[in-house]
């Protein structure tokens, strides 16, 4: 569907346009493989000379329909679904990096991604330098090297809820001849489209707001098609030089603006797997159909809860960019004037044990590792998702040891506040 339609219409209609007599609702193509009449037809698919389906690890009609919807929502030229947001971030970087390469990343990213970039990818020979996203441009410049291949950040950081200055990051990345990759999970394309501010590639953990119901794990990568790989051909040989695993095909010459996405699908997904199952893609599509309805409610509820927390004497600090007192308020108004997300970071007066006691007394809000679905939930990252980090590493990652991550759901906001209030009475 053409991207001239509004985001609300794209949420409902994009990706699947049934032909005469076909199912009105996107079906689940629950098949590992696809049949062809001649050997030549199959051979052309394997040579990337024709488009089509032959094995679900690479492509599946259900998955492609949902990826197309996400691409339309973000304003990209193409997208690919992955089995998780973690896989999406790995593929997004690994698609342009190899052993001996380097990339630069905001230090306040999600703890699992931090560990992936700092530890696991280092074992593959790819080094990451973490920087303070709020640092001056000239200071961030110093992190770049001749072998740097990309700059990475999150629109809204998880769990610190900092807002990325996308234009600044895009300017820095392009000055050094590399793409900017932005994880847009928390803002979603409903509230922010990073491509409009200079980002080149967007990733998502579709597990969060896009699915919205905590039913299926998934991820997505979207390419804007705007980065000129040929202009920096020496930096990106995987895209601009022949791929011997495809008879010497060169992705930029054969696929133009779709070079990055084609390589990610035909090479990385072929070799590493991590495809999203068609059934999960089907469930994700159901979530996307109401994304434009749910996100405003999350933001409306979170704004009221954040204001209540800020006024509560038992609360030491609150980080939510919708508050006028917040250091990221102006950035949020620039990039996300209609609202940011439903996730709030805050700390209580008292000890770590007080924070745990508060969470243990919640009745409506549940303690779960998940975030950003319809139900209100809470987590203490230092004790849970980030427990592998030292206090020094926590602070470096922008995660205060007393930080409580509250994901505000779409329930009645008065019920949410009442639950928080009764739990605070216990400390």
């Amino acid at each position: 569907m053409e991207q001239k339609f509004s985001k609300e219409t794209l949420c409902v209609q994009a990706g699947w346009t049934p032909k005469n007599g076909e199912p009105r609702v996107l079906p689940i193509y629950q098949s590992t493989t696809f049949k062809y009449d001649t050997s030549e037809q199959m051979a052309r698919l394997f040579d990337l000379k024709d488009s089509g389906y032959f094995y679900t690890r690479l492509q599946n009609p259900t998955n492609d329909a949902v990826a197309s919807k996400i691409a339309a929502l973000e304003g990209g030229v193409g997208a690919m679904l992955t089995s998780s947001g973690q896989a999406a971030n790995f593929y997004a970087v690994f698609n342009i990096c190899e052993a001996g390469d380097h990339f630069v990343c905001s230090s306040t990213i999600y703890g699992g991604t931090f560990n992936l970039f700092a530890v696991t990818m280092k074992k593959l020979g790819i080094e990451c330098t973490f920087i303070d996203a709020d640092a001056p441009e000239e200071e961030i410049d110093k992190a770049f090297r001749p072998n740097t291949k990309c700059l990475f950040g999150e629109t809204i950081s998880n769990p610190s809820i900092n807002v990325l200055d996308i234009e600044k990051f895009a300017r820095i990345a392009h000055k050094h001849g590399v793409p900017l990759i932005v994880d847009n999970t928390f803002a979603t394309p409903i509230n922010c489209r990073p491509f409009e501010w200079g980002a080149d590639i967007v990733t998502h953990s579709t597990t969060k707001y896009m699915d919205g119901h905590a039913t299926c794990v998934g991820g997505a990568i979207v390419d804007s098609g705007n980065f000129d790989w040929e202009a920096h051909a020496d930096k990106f040989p995987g895209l601009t030089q022949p791929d011997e695993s495809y008879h010497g095909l060169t992705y930029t010459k054969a696929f133009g603006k779709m070079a990055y996405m084609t390589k990610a699908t035909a090479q990385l997904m072929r070799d590493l797997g991590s495809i999203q199952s068609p059934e999960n893609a089907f469930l994700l599509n159901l979530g996307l159909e109401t994304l434009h309805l749910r996100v405003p409610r999350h933001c409306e509820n979170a704004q009221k809860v954040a204001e209540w927390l800020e006024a509560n004497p038992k609360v030491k600090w609150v980080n939510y960019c919708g508050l006028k007192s917040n250091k990221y308020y102006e950035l949020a108004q620039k990039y996300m004037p209609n609202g940011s997300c439903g996730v709030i970071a805050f700390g209580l007066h008292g000890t770590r044990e007080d924070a745990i006691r508060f969470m243990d007394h919640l009745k409506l809000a549940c303690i779960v590792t998940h975030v950003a679905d319809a139900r209100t939930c809470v987590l203490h990252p230092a004790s849970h998702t980030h427990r592998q980090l030292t206090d020094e590493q926590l602070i470096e990652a922008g995660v205060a040891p007393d930080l409580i991550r509250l994901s505000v759901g779409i329930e009645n906001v008065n019920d949410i506040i009442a639950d928080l209030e009764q739990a605070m009475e216990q400390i």
Side-chain angles (χ1 to χ4, degrees), residues 101-176:
D101 285 342
H102 167 262
F103 67 104
V104 180
C105 181
S106 166
S107 64
T108 55
I109 59 171
Y110 165 61
T113 311
F114 188 100
N115 196 65
L116 166 68
F117 290 170
V119 180
T120 303
M121 292 191 74
K122 188 175 182 179
K123 294 176 181 177
L124 298 174
I126 301 168
E127 189 177 353
C128 179
T129 297
F130 293 96
I131 49 90
D132 177 2
D134 296 335
E137 194 168 323
E138 57 272 17
E139 187 174 324
I140 297 175
D141 280 334
K142 295 175 184 177
F144 284 77
R145 307 173 186 173
N147 63 337
T148 300
K149 297 302 175 70
C150 67
L151 177 60
F152 188 101
E154 293 176 343
T155 310
I156 304 172
S157 62
N158 176 16
S160 57
I161 320 302
N162 297 353
V163 177
L164 185 73
D165 190 341
I166 303 172
E167 273 195 321
K168 180 180 84 170
F169 260 48
R171 186 167 56 248
I172 294 169
H174 297 157
K175 183 196 309 182
H176 294 277

Side-chain angles (χ1 to χ4, degrees), residues 97-325:
C97 287
E98 58 185 46
D101 285 342
H102 167 262
F103 67 104
V104 180
C105 181
S106 166
S107 64
T108 55
I109 59 171
Y110 165 61
T113 311
F114 188 100
N115 196 65
L116 166 68
F117 290 170
V119 180
T120 303
M121 292 191 74
K122 188 175 182 179
K123 294 176 181 177
L124 298 174
I126 301 168
E127 189 177 353
C128 179
T129 297
F130 293 96
I131 49 90
D132 177 2
D134 296 335
E137 194 168 323
E138 57 272 17
E139 187 174 324
I140 297 175
D141 280 334
K142 295 175 184 177
F144 284 77
R145 307 173 186 173
N147 63 337
T148 300
K149 297 302 175 70
C150 67
L151 177 60
F152 188 101
E154 293 176 343
T155 310
I156 304 172
S157 62
N158 176 16
S160 57
I161 320 302
N162 297 353
V163 177
L164 185 73
D165 190 341
I166 303 172
E167 273 195 321
K168 180 180 84 170
F169 260 48
R171 186 167 56 248
I172 294 169
H174 297 157
K175 183 196 309 182
H176 294 277
V178 301
L180 170 60
I181 303 175
V182 174
D183 184 328
N184 197 34
T185 295
F186 272 14
T188 82
I190 299 302
N191 283 343
C192 183
R193 302 217 304 180
F195 294 155
E196 296 175 356
W197 301 100
D200 301 290
I201 296 156
V202 159
T203 64
H204 284 277
S205 171
T206 62
T207 317
K208 310 304 190 298
Y209 286 120
M210 284 190 166
D211 168 79
H213 302 85
T215 56
C216 55
V217 174
I221 305 170
V222 189
D223 184 16
S224 66
N226 293 333
F227 191 81
D228 189 347
W229 305 104
E230 286 284 352
H232 309 281
D234 291 344
K235 273 186 174 290
F236 305 104
L239 287 163
T240 62
Q241 294 182 16
D243 180 357
E244 296 309 319
S245 69
Y246 278 111
H247 312 294
L249 174 147
T250 300
Y251 292 100
T252 51
K253 289 182 172 56
F255 301 103
K257 288 183 177 294
M258 283 295 291
Y260 176 89
M261 290 312 311
T262 302
K263 179 178 180 291
T265 302
Q267 190 183 88
L268 297 190
M269 196 62 81
R270 175 198 65 189
D271 294 346
L272 300 174
S274 297
I275 192 71
Q276 189 169 140
S277 75
E279 185 171 355
N280 275 14
F282 172 83
L283 293 171
L284 168 59
N285 189 58
L286 294 181
L288 287 168
E289 288 182 353
T290 60
L291 184 66
H292 62 294
L293 300 175
R294 290 181 287 103
V295 167
R297 178 58 177 262
H298 280 289
C299 294
E300 177 187 343
N301 280 357
Q303 182 68 31
K304 291 177 181 177
V305 170
E307 291 170 0
W308 181 86
L309 287 169
E310 189 175 45
N312 192 302
K314 293 188 176 182
V315 176
K316 186 177 180 180
W317 59 271
V318 182
N319 193 18
Y320 187 69
C321 60
L323 297 173
K324 291 185 178 180
S325 60

Side-chain angles (χ1 to χ4, degrees), residues 46-120:
F46 274 93
D47 286 342
L48 302 184
K49 293 179 179 178
D50 286 346
S51 60
Y53 304 97
F54 51 88
Y55 199 59
T56 284
R57 187 175 77 239
L58 279 87
Q59 287 180 293
N60 176 282
T62 305
N63 292 39
D64 279 3
V66 182
S68 178
K69 175 176 286 190
I70 294 173
L73 285 168
E74 285 287 7
V77 297
M80 178 179 77
L81 298 187
T82 60
S83 59
S84 67
Q86 194 79 325
N89 284 335
F90 172 57
Y91 279 17
V93 174
F94 195 56
N95 200 35
I96 50 178
C97 287
E98 58 185 46
D101 285 342
H102 167 262
F103 67 104
V104 180
C105 181
S106 166
S107 64
T108 55
I109 59 171
Y110 165 61
T113 311
F114 188 100
N115 196 65
L116 166 68
F117 290 170
V119 180
T120 303

